[in-house]
Amino acid sequence: MRTRYGLGSLLRELSMIVVAIIFLFPVYVLVSLSFKSAADINAGGLGLPQPVDTSNYPTAWESASIGAAFLNSLTITFGSILLLIVLGSLAAYYLARVSSNVSYGIYILFLVGIILPFQLALVPLYRMMYEAGLLGTYGSMIAFYTGLQLPFTVFLYTGFLRGVPREYGEAALVDGAGHMMSFVRVTFPMLRPITGTVIILNAVFIWNDFLTPLLYLSGSGKETLPVAIYAFVGQYTAEWGLVFASVILAAVPMLAVFLFLQRFVIKGFASGLKG
Amino acid sequence: MHGAAAPTLNRGHHKRRAGRTILPTIWFTIPALVVYLIIVIYPALSGAAYAFTDWSGVGEQLRFVGLENFRKVFTDAQSLAALRNAVALTIFIVFVQNGVGLVLALGVHSKIKSRNVLRTIFFAPAVVSPVVIAFLWKYLFDPRPEEGINAVLGFIGLDFLRQNWLGDPSIALWSIGIMIVWQLAGYSMVIFLAGLQGVPQELHEAASIDGAGGLRRFRSITLPLLAPAITICTLLSVIGGLKLFDQVFALTGGGPGYATETPSTVIYKEAFVYGNYGYSTAIALVLAVVVAAVALVQLKWLRGKEVEA
């Protein structure tokens, strides 16, 4: 029953394309309005921009400080993921290899963090950061994301490590390498597939997160992209051309990464969540 | 821990130095554990404790008030509306987002030529920030007849369907739901696709030879084998739906009235606008208990329905 491309497939193809066009309509509106002048938008209608007005983009870039916000987002995302990989994989190495009550207890404690809504820790942690004088720093955000995403990261690494034969790392140990050396040289390189998933899922989450950076970074000059866009739109409400130019500028980096790495991204999202 | 070497190694040939064990020590997990305890567990536990106080964040003054905050959570019009909205919106998202996602997955998982492009298109919104997506939809939901969705409805002759999408309290919550479905249906699709790729073609062929029609095969073969994907998708949408903040905050701020308020928007306002830290953490504790309970029950119930291919 290997189906060939027949009439059924053609109908299915056409109906899926119709669905895709409906689905893409908001994107068309987004792009076309971003190329319209304020006067053109006020005239109403959803037609193509005539003439094409590119002035929204430089204005949005300047006023929303997109460049600076991009670098802030990059710093925070990169720093958090680096710590998550190091701390998460090391912790998982112990949790996956040692079967004791202590190891199991720690693993369960990490799992609790996957379901626990962070809202419960939100206010006390904000006060802690405030009292430590850390609000408005990259460090506060990196510490926050590392702690918040460790449960999920440890969960992914532990699950994967349980499927990696332990003989390799042990052979290195026997040859006289220390545990750390054996982990770094032998075991960690074997974790590459799950490290890819860890990077992708955490990067998308951290890059797009909003509430905590809004609380910690507003007005500090270290705002991430979502916070910068939020502040910008607050000032320019109803100037849709400008708003949409800023929305596109904010969305493009993540979309570009997605398009280039889409096989890995989709695989990461589809597989990283199996519990 | 000493002497717990793996049985696969022949210890006779390798003399281990004293003090070295084959198993990693607990020090490997200590750094992660410390960060996790400081950033999540300690604040969460103190949040649970503050829920029983009138803490306002000013100085050290706080008083134990027993269940007073919880009495307010379950009698105050705003928090009750927030809980109701969260439940209604979550049910909507669980069924519509995953239903659409499943249909998209079935459509893309076929011989059609555009399947790769379609998959990219449907999934792309899921990687974009919800706040950014919300500003796009703020325009689409413009109440004026010549803007956004209303303009399209007028263009195709469905003027009577025009709505005040975000201004009408009886519609606003569903408008937010529509936006979330648009952004995340592709996410569900991707998880379903992974599940569909695990359904053996032979099963379909065998059933087809036995005379089972398309619908019958879907119900008897595809659906049961998709159960793990259904578990993940519904669990994700339940947790995401109950905790919803970004989209609501950017689109409506909880209004009009309390029509789109969610527990997370109320937690935010009570703490950071009104300084009622104790009351805010009480709502958070209720939310945490609800999320944990629903997630565990759901996991147990859905896991029972899963079968092996």
Side-chain angles (χ1 to χ4, degrees), chain A residues 2-3 12-13 23 25 46 90 94 109 113 119 127 167 170 174 179 208 210 230 244 247 254 258 262, chain B residues 8 14 21-23 25 36 57 106 110-111 113-114 120 127 129 131-132 139 152 182 201 249 264 277:
Chain A
R2 302 274 169 214
T3 43
R12 193 197 281 243
E13 178 121 44
F23 194 84
F25 170 72
L46 294 172
L90 284 174
Y94 168 80
L109 186 62
Q119 278 78 352
R127 293 297 302 187
E167 284 77 11
E170 284 172 356
V174 170
H179 263 299
N208 292 334
F210 175 63
Y230 180 78
F244 281 5
V247 161
M254 194 40 107
F258 165 62
Q262 72 162 292
Chain B
T8 45
H14 302 279
T21 54
I22 289 287
L23 292 174
T25 70
Y36 174 55
L106 289 169
S110 61
K111 291 275 184 283
K113 294 188 166 74
S114 53
T120 307
V127 302
S129 156
V131 180
V132 168
Y139 169 78
V152 181
W182 181 80
Q201 189 67 35
F249 191 71
S264 295
Y277 285 15

Side-chain angles (χ1 to χ4, degrees), chain B residues 62-138:
Chain B
L62 59 102
R63 214 161 39 92
F64 178 76
V65 293
L67 296 175
E68 175 58 25
N69 288 330
F70 297 96
R71 196 191 56 77
K72 198 176 161 198
V73 173
F74 291 108
T75 51
D76 184 64
Q78 184 178 26
S79 53
L80 278 180
L83 291 172
R84 247 195 334 265
N85 293 339
V87 171
L89 196 52
T90 300
I91 294 172
F92 179 85
I93 295 170
V94 164
F95 284 97
V96 183
Q97 178 193 318
N98 295 321
V100 173
L102 181 58
V103 170
L104 294 180
L106 289 169
V108 173
H109 183 70
S110 61
K111 291 275 184 283
I112 65 174
K113 294 188 166 74
S114 53
R115 60 178 183 271
N116 289 334
V117 181
L118 290 173
R119 196 185 58 173
T120 307
I121 291 172
F122 292 135
F123 182 71
V127 302
V128 178
S129 156
V131 180
V132 168
I133 298 274
F135 290 130
L136 163 60
W137 282 82
K138 198 165 191 169

Side-chain angles (χ1 to χ4, degrees), chain A:
Chain A
M1 204 200 66
R2 302 274 169 214
T3 43
R4 252 179 264 123
Y5 195 94
L7 185 64
S9 296
L10 183 66
L11 285 176
R12 193 197 281 243
E13 178 121 44
L14 290 177
S15 45
M16 286 306 286
I17 289 173
V18 170
V19 173
I21 290 170
I22 297 170
F23 194 84
L24 280 174
F25 170 72
V27 181
Y28 161 75
V29 173
L30 177 67
V31 176
S32 72
L33 257 65
S34 75
F35 286 108
K36 286 182 182 179
S37 66
D40 204 2
I41 291 173
N42 283 336
L46 294 172
L48 284 164
Q50 283 174 330
V52 171
D53 178 4
T54 54
S55 69
N56 289 323
Y57 283 87
T59 313
W61 177 273
E62 285 290 320
S63 320
S65 321
I66 303 267
F70 175 80
L71 289 178
N72 293 335
S73 282
L74 204 62
T75 309
I76 290 168
T77 306
F78 186 79
S80 310
I81 289 179
L82 196 66
L83 275 175
L84 280 166
I85 291 173
V86 173
L87 300 186
S89 64
L90 284 174
Y93 185 53
Y94 168 80
L95 296 174
R97 288 288 179 259
V98 176
S99 41
S100 67
N101 287 336
V102 175
S103 164
Y104 185 67
I106 296 173
Y107 184 62
I108 295 296
L109 186 62
F110 274 118
L111 287 194
V112 167
I114 295 180
I115 291 186
L116 187 80
F118 186 73
Q119 278 78 352
L120 189 54
L122 182 76
V123 174
L125 186 65
Y126 175 82
R127 293 297 302 187
M128 282 163 63
M129 292 288 186
Y130 171 77
E131 274 152 28
L134 289 173
L135 291 181
T137 63
Y138 291 140
S140 65
M141 290 311 302
I142 291 173
F144 168 73
Y145 287 126
T146 307
L148 184 68
Q149 292 300 96
L150 261 174
F152 186 50
T153 306
V154 166
F155 169 73
L156 289 178
Y157 271 125
T158 308
F160 189 86
L161 260 166
R162 286 191 176 136
V164 172
R166 52 175 69 203
E167 284 77 11
Y168 296 95
E170 284 172 356
L173 272 181
V174 170
D175 289 343
H179 263 299
M180 198 46 124
M181 187 78 101
S182 151
F183 177 77
V184 172
R185 290 274 174 81
V186 183
T187 310
F188 186 74
M190 299 176 79
L191 300 179
R192 201 178 299 161
I194 198 69
T195 300
T197 302
V198 164
I199 293 174
I200 285 163
L201 293 179
N202 282 318
V204 172
F205 171 78
I206 296 169
W207 187 270
N208 292 334
D209 191 42
F210 175 63
L211 173 55
T212 306
L214 176 76
L215 291 172
Y216 289 17
L217 301 176
S218 284
S220 70
K222 296 201 173 68
E223 292 90 346
T224 56
L225 272 171
V227 180
I229 296 297
Y230 180 78
F232 175 72
V233 175
Q235 283 173 19
Y236 293 86
T237 333
E239 291 198 35
W240 289 112
L242 274 179
V243 168
F244 281 5
S246 77
V247 161
I248 289 176
L249 289 170
V252 155
M254 194 40 107
L255 281 174
V257 171
F258 165 62
L259 288 178
F260 278 113
L261 300 175
Q262 72 162 292
R263 264 190 42 226
F264 302 99
V265 176
I266 288 181
K267 226 167 113 190
F269 269 83
S271 71
L273 300 151
K274 277 179 188 153

